Amino acid sequence: MDIANTATEPNAKATANDGLDRQLLLGRPHQRHGALWLTAAIVLFVIFLVGYSLVTNPRFEWNIVFGWFTSERLFTGLLRTLGLTAISMVVGIVVGVLLALARLAPNFIVAGAAAFLVCALPWRSCLRPAAVLGLYRRDLPADRRRNPLWA
């Protein structure tokens, strides 16, 4: 008997050379997914309720929210954020390529220093860089410039 023939004859002996008992695979009962559909319906209902609340609740004051989208201060901050992101990306790519090339160097001191920096630099990113604080502090009001936590 051939393995391809076992799909048409469910009572036939279905063993192959790979040691799998195909009869167990063919006789598997249908699994019911009632809880899966119920949880999907509950999640969709909650998403609908949140959306309905966002649209119909007058306390959100959407006219004020949309008014802020035309604010010059918002666009200045957005442009500065995008500029800093682009600068950070370029610096990160350059430093990453240089470190990767240094790790491939035949000099074990250079390769070891690069390997140490690759392991040590992610811990540096957990700290708040002073350069970012210096770039943002000049736009703050005079009473907040003294506090280094306002960035």
Side-chain angles (χ1 to χ4, degrees):
M1 172 165 294
D2 198 14
I3 294 176
N5 198 16
T6 58
T8 58
E9 300 176 17
N11 293 330
K13 180 76 174 139
T15 57
N17 294 336
D18 56 2
L20 293 176
D21 188 6
R22 305 262 189 248
Q23 190 67 30
L24 291 175
L25 296 175
L26 291 174
R28 193 178 78 186
H30 177 70
Q31 294 177 348
R32 300 189 187 274
H33 299 288
L36 181 76
W37 288 105
L38 179 66
T39 54
I42 291 171
V43 168
L44 286 176
F45 183 68
V46 168
I47 290 173
F48 171 75
L49 287 179
V50 169
Y52 182 76
S53 174
L54 284 173
V55 172
T56 60
N57 193 344
R59 291 184 182 174
F60 280 111
E61 298 179 1
W62 288 110
N63 55 349
I64 295 174
V65 172
F66 291 129
W68 274 101
F69 284 124
T70 59
S71 169
E72 180 185 344
R73 191 172 183 184
L74 181 85
F75 283 118
T76 303
L78 177 67
L79 289 177
R80 180 166 296 163
T81 301
L82 290 176
L84 286 173
T85 302
I87 291 169
S88 299
M89 191 171 106
V90 168
V91 169
I93 289 173
V94 169
V95 170
V97 167
L98 290 176
L99 284 174
L101 291 174
R103 287 198 63 182
L104 295 174
N107 187 345
F108 73 93
I109 295 176
V110 173
F116 173 76
L117 286 175
V118 167
C119 292
L121 281 179
W123 295 105
R124 173 81 175 115
S125 66
C126 296
L127 303 175
R128 192 173 202 172
V132 175
L133 286 173
L135 290 174
Y136 280 119
R137 287 185 67 193
R138 65 176 173 226
D139 291 340
L140 294 174
D143 60 336
R144 291 190 185 171
R145 283 192 192 138
R146 287 174 275 140
N147 188 353
L149 295 178
W150 287 96

